[in-house]
Amino acid sequence: MLRARFAATVFAVASLALVPGCLTLFSKTEVVRGEESRRPIRFENPQAADAFNTAMKERSKNMGGAHVGVPFVTLYAKNRLLSESAHFNDCVARCDTDQDGTITYTEAAIFAKVKD
């Protein structure tokens, strides 16, 4: 009897060690402003475009969410993300400080340095 329990315990621990990851019961990702189209924008030069695109990729599209669970078991998870176009438009609005429709290298460099 004791040997059977020990064997079952060893089997259970070995099984848990071999099965990586977590158990998720419900997970949803909601895309916000999905119908939005990209704003037309011009860049002063290719360096401004590169600086802007690099800084934009470093910024998060995550708008928050909710998570309920215990370690290794997620009971409920919901994330809200901006659509690609909405994220681009928000970054353009922050970067183009004079709102003239052209992003200069100076504006892109400042945008890259300022963190939200």
Side-chain angles (χ1 to χ4, degrees), residues 14 16 21 24-25 33 39 56 63 71 77 86-87 93 98 100 112-113:
L16 287 175
T24 301
L25 300 178
R33 294 168 40 197
R39 287 176 49 177
M56 183 182 71
M63 295 183 61
H87 179 63
D98 57 5
D100 65 350
K113 288 181 184 177

Side-chain angles (χ1 to χ4, degrees), residues 33-76:
R33 294 168 40 197
E35 71 288 340
E36 193 170 321
S37 59
R38 281 186 172 217
R39 287 176 49 177
I41 194 74
R42 292 181 310 275
F43 294 97
E44 177 184 50
N45 52 38
Q47 292 81 11
D50 289 342
F52 172 78
N53 287 322
T54 301
M56 183 182 71
K57 289 177 185 173
E58 292 175 357
R59 294 179 185 254
S60 175
K61 295 184 286 187
N62 191 359
M63 295 183 61
H67 174 84
V68 177
V70 295
F72 305 112
V73 178
T74 301
L75 302 173
Y76 175 84

Side-chain angles (χ1 to χ4, degrees), residues 10-33:
V10 169
F11 178 74
V13 170
S15 296
L16 287 175
L18 295 174
V19 179
C22 302
L23 176 65
T24 301
L25 300 178
F26 178 80
S27 179
K28 179 180 180 182
T29 300
E30 177 185 359
V31 177
V32 180
R33 294 168 40 197

Side-chain angles (χ1 to χ4, degrees), residues 97-115:
T97 55
D98 57 5
Q99 300 298 310
D100 65 350
T102 301
I103 293 178
T104 64
Y105 181 74
T106 304
E107 288 174 329
I110 292 170
F111 176 67
K113 288 181 184 177
V114 175
K115 302 296 178 196

